[in-house]
């Protein structure tokens, strides 16, 4: 991973100056050679699910390059596979790209180009580069050969141009049954690259399409539609993941043989209809996928988690979909920071999830105001304050950034503290509250534990403490040192809240690895979601959904995007303050 160049670069250096990664380096060389006047990229998701953290790498790369090189990036919905695709996903994808902080030049669908693809296929037939095949899918597989054996020619390979044109038009008219005919490119059945052994261009599928309805009974294959979409949009650099490396010769074959720039008859109708098109020859460049430990980046598996009810939907805060991460409280800035830090290379690797969490912490540390909340409450009574005592303390909202201002925090005689901040039999090195011990109550002063109240079962229900008045702020003893400081919420003023404590969805680093005989589903962490009743200081409660805070000493939390109400607060734990998984 090329982390050095990104890390060593001062923030104020314009991003176009240095190499940063091999793709930007290629682009800079292409610009220097005068190959392009503008850099154009695209992000091409298939709308068959919501975007996940892996897609964020592709989004940041494509949109980032468009922005850095004063070019642009299109959002293209790669919808050539009807049946699995859904307008709900289209809307979700648009929403997620914007949330990450990017705006597209044009929003396109591969299906916008169905007529172009169709005309281009006719051109390929006319040029002797494509034929209609009657072999079944299974026969085609047999004829294809293997890595060590060449394939065989289909008996239909030498049909005349006229016959092919006639059959293909009738395929388009819907005359033939699904799967009964295929349009194939005529390339080389003996090629060492199996992708070039007469790959399919069109197949018959009488399935309703989410964008074009029932207009088409035939659908183009991905390898054909993708490169032509790139060429049609004038994409200069088509960035994709490594598994497409072996497809690149085919990508170039289609681009060169269709030759859109020199054949306006194939696309002029689009321009006439108002589409911005300036066809060009794109260059495909592959990079390695983003893989994170403890996470799944397969849309099929994410869909399975939802459909089988292992999670509460695509936006469940345990999901590593962008919606899930958003609801969990992860920030676009934290996600972009991760992608920036990891860089771009051709090296496959699995990134430690803790690195991701650290990026999010770093972003939230700077951007989240501080508040106090107690999630496992134990009552603490300050016995030397009078009954009905009330006062208001002023707290800074951020310890390192005065621009966050201050807030008022009410104090009364009875407080909630965290149960784990008291130990009747303290372990070694325990610096919080213990019998006869002292601790600083954040922003108040030093209290001493004088008495422990228990219920009939022997559980601690209350601590009776005295506050050293001389240790209060502004008093001569205010600097007196005790080892521990704990947070608290006034019981009289605290607002009850539902707090959802989230953890990693899988309890092993590589859930996809089934070599231990367990399926990835069996690696789901049953404790990844826990709901508790906690108490918030008043100024943490009346906030809008998606407001993020650091609850002091507990972690970063976000007001739930869906369920939070100012009068009935619901907060999700985004991440703890430190890595609790490190062993
Ligand atoms: P599918 O399994 O359905 O093919 P996909 O993960 O390839 O899903 P697409 O919607 O086709 O999803 O992906 C859109 C773009 O995002 C593609 O250019 C793809 O290469 C890129 N992408 C997908 N997953 C990752 C990943 N983990 N890291 C980097 N880029 C990714
Ligand atoms: Mg894909």
């Amino acid at each position: 991973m090329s982390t050095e160049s990104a890390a060593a670069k001062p923030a104020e250096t314009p991003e176009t100056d240095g190499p940063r990664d091999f793709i930007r380096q290629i682009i800079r060389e292409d610009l220097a050679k005068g190959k392009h006047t503008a850099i154009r990229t695209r992000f091409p998701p298939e709308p068959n699910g919501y975007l996940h953290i892996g897609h964020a790498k592709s989004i940041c790369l494509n949109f980032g390059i468009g922005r850095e090189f004063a070019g642009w990036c299109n959002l293209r919905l790669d919808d050539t596979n009807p049946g699995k695709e859904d307008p709900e996903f289209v809307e979700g994808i648009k929403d997620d790209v914007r949330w990450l902080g990017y705006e597209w030049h044009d929003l396109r669908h591969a299906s916008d180009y169905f007529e172009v693809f169709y005309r281009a296929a006719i051109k390929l037939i006319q040029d002797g580069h494509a034929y209609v095949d009657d072999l079944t899918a299974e026969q085609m597989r047999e004829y294809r050969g293997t890595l060590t054996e060449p394939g065989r020619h289909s008996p239909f390979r030498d049909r005349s141009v006229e016959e092919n044109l006639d059959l293909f038009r009738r395929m388009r008219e819907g005359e033939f049954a699904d799967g009964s005919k295929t349009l194939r490119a005529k390339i080389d059945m003996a090629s060492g690259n199996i992708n070039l052994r007469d790959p399919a261009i069109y197949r018959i599928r009488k399935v309703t399409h989410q964008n074009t309805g029932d207009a088409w009974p035939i659908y183009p294959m991905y390898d054909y539609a993708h490169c032509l979409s790139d060429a049609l949009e004038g994409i200069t650099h088509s960035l994709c993941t490594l598994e497409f490396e072996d497809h690149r010769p085919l990508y170039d074959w289609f681009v060169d043989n269709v030759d859109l720039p020199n054949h306006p008859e194939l696309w002029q109708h689009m321009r006439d209809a108002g589409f911005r098109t300036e066809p060009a020859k794109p260059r495909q460049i592959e990079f390695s996928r983003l893989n994170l430990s403890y996470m799944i980046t397969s849309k099929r598996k994410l869909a399975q988690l939802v459909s089988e009810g292992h999670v509460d939907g695509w936006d469940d805060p345990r999901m590593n979909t962008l919606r899930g991460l958003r609801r969990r409280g992860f920030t676009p800035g934290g996600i972009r920071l991760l992608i920036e830090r990891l860089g771009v290379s051709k090296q496959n690797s699995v990134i430690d999830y803790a690195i991701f969490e650290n990026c999010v912490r770093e972003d939230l540390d700077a951007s989240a105001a501080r508040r106090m909340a107690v999630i496992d409450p134990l009552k603490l009574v300050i016995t030397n304050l009078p009954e009905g005592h009330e006062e208001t303390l002023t707290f800074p909202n951020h310890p390192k950034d005065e621009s966050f201002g201050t807030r008022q925090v009410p104090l009364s005689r009875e407080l909630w503290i965290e149960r784990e901040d008291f130990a009747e039999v303290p372990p070694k090195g325990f610096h919080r509250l213990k019998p006869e011990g002292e601790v600083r109550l954040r922003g108040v002063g030093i209290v001493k534990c004088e008495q422990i109240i228990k219920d009939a079962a022997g559980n601690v229900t209350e601590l009776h403490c005295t506050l050293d008045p001389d240790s209060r702020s502004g008093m001569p003893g205010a600097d007196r040192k005790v080892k521990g400081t704990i947070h608290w919420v006034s019981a009289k003023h605290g607002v009850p809240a539902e707090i959802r404590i989230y953890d990693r969805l899988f309890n092993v680093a590589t859930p996809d690895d089934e070599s231990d005989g367990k399926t990835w589903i069996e690696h789901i962490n049953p404790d990844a979601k826990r709901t508790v009743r906690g108490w918030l200081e008043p100024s943490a409660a009346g906030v809008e959904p998606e407001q993020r805070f650091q609850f002091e000493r507990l972690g970063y939390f976000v007001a739930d995007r869906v369920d939070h109400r100012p009068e009935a607060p619901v907060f999700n734990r985004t991440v703890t303050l430190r890595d609790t998984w490190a062993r």
Side-chain angles (χ1 to χ4, degrees), residues 245-405:
E245 199 158 23
D246 289 347
H247 296 237
R248 194 186 334 131
L250 181 56
Y251 183 103
D252 290 337
W253 191 92
F254 282 132
V255 166
D256 292 339
N257 283 291
V258 171
D259 191 16
L260 286 171
N262 293 311
H263 290 274
E265 72 278 10
L266 304 179
W267 46 265
Q268 187 60 45
H269 68 282
M270 302 266 334
R271 241 192 216 170
D272 297 342
F275 272 82
R276 296 192 269 195
T277 54
E278 204 180 311
K281 180 173 161 61
R283 170 173 177 185
Q284 173 178 310
I285 305 173
E286 309 85 19
F287 62 95
S288 60
R289 298 175 74 87
L290 172 67
N291 301 305
L292 282 160
S293 64
Y294 298 94
M295 286 193 166
I296 290 271
T297 44
S298 146
K299 273 193 275 189
R300 184 181 58 76
K301 288 180 178 172
L302 290 169
Q304 191 180 338
L305 286 171
V306 174
S307 65
E308 292 181 0
H310 300 290
V311 294
D312 304 327
W314 286 95
D315 69 344
D316 186 301
R318 289 167 290 183
M319 292 277 274
N320 59 292
T321 51
L322 294 181
R323 333 219 94 198
L325 294 169
R326 175 176 182 175
R327 197 165 168 198
R328 171 86 167 252
F330 279 45
T331 54
I335 294 171
R336 289 194 305 260
L337 187 60
L338 172 78
I339 306 296
E340 172 77 13
R341 291 248 163 97
L342 299 180
V344 181
S345 76
K346 281 185 180 282
Q347 205 65 47
N348 269 317
S349 64
V350 178
I351 304 303
D352 188 346
Y353 181 73
I355 294 177
F356 186 19
E357 288 186 319
N358 275 334
C359 290
V360 173
R361 284 187 188 105
E362 193 172 321
D363 189 47
L364 285 169
D365 179 42
S367 64
R370 273 47 170 177
R371 293 288 184 270
M372 292 197 291
V374 171
I375 58 174
D376 185 13
L378 172 63
K379 179 78 62 81
L380 182 152
V381 182
I382 304 175
T383 52
N384 59 338
L385 287 181
E387 293 280 351
H389 176 86
E390 270 186 64
E391 66 181 287
T392 306
L393 307 171
T394 300
F395 273 52
N397 284 326
H398 198 290
K400 291 174 267 188
D401 187 344
E402 279 186 19
S403 71
F404 278 77

Side-chain angles (χ1 to χ4, degrees), residues 105-117:
H105 174 69
D106 278 325
L107 174 72
R108 297 293 178 84
H109 298 77
S111 56
D112 296 336
Y113 310 142
F114 278 177
E115 179 62 28
V116 178
F117 301 153

Side-chain angles (χ1 to χ4, degrees), residues 514-545:
E514 302 190 341
S515 59
D516 59 356
K518 283 193 176 176
T519 66
W520 65 278
I521 290 279
E522 292 173 273
H523 292 303
I524 291 176
N525 173 8
D527 303 322
K529 179 184 180 183
R530 202 156 54 82
T531 300
V532 298
R533 301 294 302 177
W535 295 92
L536 308 178
E537 62 164 276
S539 65
V543 301
E544 294 298 311

Side-chain angles (χ1 to χ4, degrees), residues 43-46 48 52 54-55 57-58 241 287 289-290 297 299:
F43 171 62
E46 184 180 354
N48 60 350
H52 55 62
H55 292 112
K57 178 171 181 179
S58 182
T241 41
F287 62 95
R289 298 175 74 87
L290 172 67
T297 44
K299 273 193 275 189

Side-chain angles (χ1 to χ4, degrees), residues 39 56 84 118 153 189 224 232 261 270 296 307 333 343 354 391 404 409 416 448 495 498 502-504 577:
I39 297 303
K84 290 198 290 172
Y118 179 69
H153 284 185
M189 287 306 290
Y224 175 71
L232 188 62
M270 302 266 334
I296 290 271
S307 65
E391 66 181 287
F404 278 77
V409 181
W416 296 114
K448 180 171 184 191
V495 179
E498 177 176 329
Y502 292 106
D503 207 334
R504 299 177 186 190
L577 292 180

